[in-house]
Amino acid sequence: MLEPWRTGKVIKIENANSSTRRFWIEIPDAASFDFKPGQFVTLDLPIHEKKNKRWRSYSIASAPDGTNIIELVIVLLEGGLGTNYLFNEIHEGSELVLRGPQGVFTLPDPLEKDLFLICTGTGVAPFRSMAHYLHKHKITHGEIHLIFGCRKFSDCLYREELEQLQKDERHFYYHPVFSREENVGDGAYKGYVHAVYESILQQNKRPANFYLCGWKNMIDEAKQRIVAMGYEKKDIHQELYG
């Protein structure tokens, strides 16, 4: 059953970097906005006459916390009607029509296998939600490897808090990967996400679930490589961006 459309109010906006913003949205008619980490909301933006040309879906970047406030992290797409509207017309105090939560890109229950959370860009949003949720609720899990591909250091969203989470949460490993940086420092990688999960699994192949979130090219290549390592398609879950 689809959730009803409701009105949210933008209560805070922050620049994450030159092309990405964090939007905090309060849903006043809900005492709490309950969702599963990994789910998304759909915004109905006044950018087209046809309904389906107005809808834009974004993963919830915050973890469920019992409040009626959620965070979305959105990158400005060149020529994108939706993101240009959000960046140019929406400010603190603006209202947005939204529907949700929606989606089945959620954590397995129970968490028996190791998890590889592989993302690029704002595809980190659902994984940030999952990681904070697991930590807050002290949920038992195997190894979790969050592999986050970026071009430059400035593209690496939530870096400090994910580094802190790696220190605070047992068996949680954070692997930032940079394709356009020469010197990346300890704990980071040069290149692309695929070499990282392949390297980890070459050292110790084990039962695992793979969650992919980001641009189509990354997801398509990851699926091919994961299957080539001997995993089944049912081990792979994806959320496509763009």
Side-chain angles (χ1 to χ4, degrees):
M1 191 176 81
L2 274 178
E3 294 290 325
W5 290 101
R6 25 173 85 163
T7 301
K9 184 178 180 183
V10 178
I11 58 169
K12 184 179 172 187
I13 299 173
E14 265 184 20
N15 289 329
N17 58 38
S18 61
S19 62
T20 309
R21 282 186 189 165
R22 302 168 67 183
F23 294 81
W24 283 264
I25 303 169
E26 182 181 37
I27 296 97
D29 72 355
S32 69
F33 189 78
D34 300 319
F35 62 95
K36 293 178 180 178
Q39 290 191 301
F40 63 87
V41 292
T42 297
L43 306 183
D44 185 359
L45 305 174
I47 54 175
H48 202 278
E49 291 167 10
K50 291 183 179 174
K51 284 183 185 176
N52 60 349
K53 299 263 177 102
R54 297 200 304 257
W55 295 348
R56 298 291 187 275
S57 295
Y58 299 101
S59 293
I60 302 169
S62 47
D65 60 2
T67 73
N68 62 351
I69 297 168
I70 59 171
E71 179 188 335
L72 306 180
V73 59
I74 298 171
V75 63
L76 180 63
L77 298 177
E78 196 174 328
L81 286 179
T83 58
N84 271 283
Y85 177 82
L86 289 166
F87 274 61
N88 296 320
E89 305 297 333
I90 295 297
H91 47 79
E92 291 177 5
S94 295
E95 291 186 339
L96 286 168
V97 176
L98 60 87
R99 180 162 70 192
Q102 297 166 270
V104 293
F105 190 69
T106 53
L107 288 164
D109 184 21
L111 279 168
E112 294 174 328
K113 299 180 182 178
D114 288 358
L115 277 181
F116 285 79
L117 310 176
I118 303 162
C119 58
T120 48
T122 52
V124 72
F127 300 150
R128 179 198 185 223
S129 179
M130 291 174 183
H132 280 295
Y133 177 82
L134 292 173
H135 180 62
K136 181 182 177 186
H137 294 277
K138 298 181 170 61
I139 293 168
T140 303
H141 56 77
E143 288 188 6
I144 297 177
H145 294 271
L146 172 51
I147 304 167
F148 182 13
C150 310
R151 290 176 180 169
K152 309 282 284 182
F153 292 139
S154 58
D155 301 325
C156 195
L157 306 166
Y158 306 115
R159 184 172 186 177
E160 287 181 3
E161 67 178 66
L162 292 170
E163 287 174 346
Q164 187 62 46
L165 205 51
Q166 178 171 244
K167 295 174 186 172
D168 297 340
E169 178 66 15
R170 208 159 158 250
H171 302 314
F172 175 79
Y173 304 95
Y174 169 58
H175 310 279
V177 191
F178 301 96
S179 62
R180 296 189 186 173
E181 293 286 359
E182 277 306 307
N183 301 301
V184 297
D186 292 341
Y189 301 79
K190 281 165 63 171
Y192 297 93
V193 293
H194 310 293
V196 179
Y197 60 79
E198 286 178 334
S199 170
I200 294 167
L201 289 163
Q202 276 163 5
Q203 295 164 34
N204 175 18
K205 185 164 186 260
R206 78 300 290 262
N209 276 306
F210 299 85
Y211 281 67
L212 313 174
C213 191
W215 298 109
K216 185 177 186 303
N217 290 352
M218 181 278 285
I219 287 180
D220 288 347
E221 184 171 347
K223 286 195 292 190
Q224 289 174 353
R225 288 174 178 250
I226 291 163
V227 170
M229 285 191 291
Y231 291 95
E232 295 184 37
K233 287 185 177 175
K234 66 179 176 60
D235 299 325
I236 304 171
H237 313 266
Q238 69 180 61
E239 193 80 285
L240 196 62
Y241 271 41

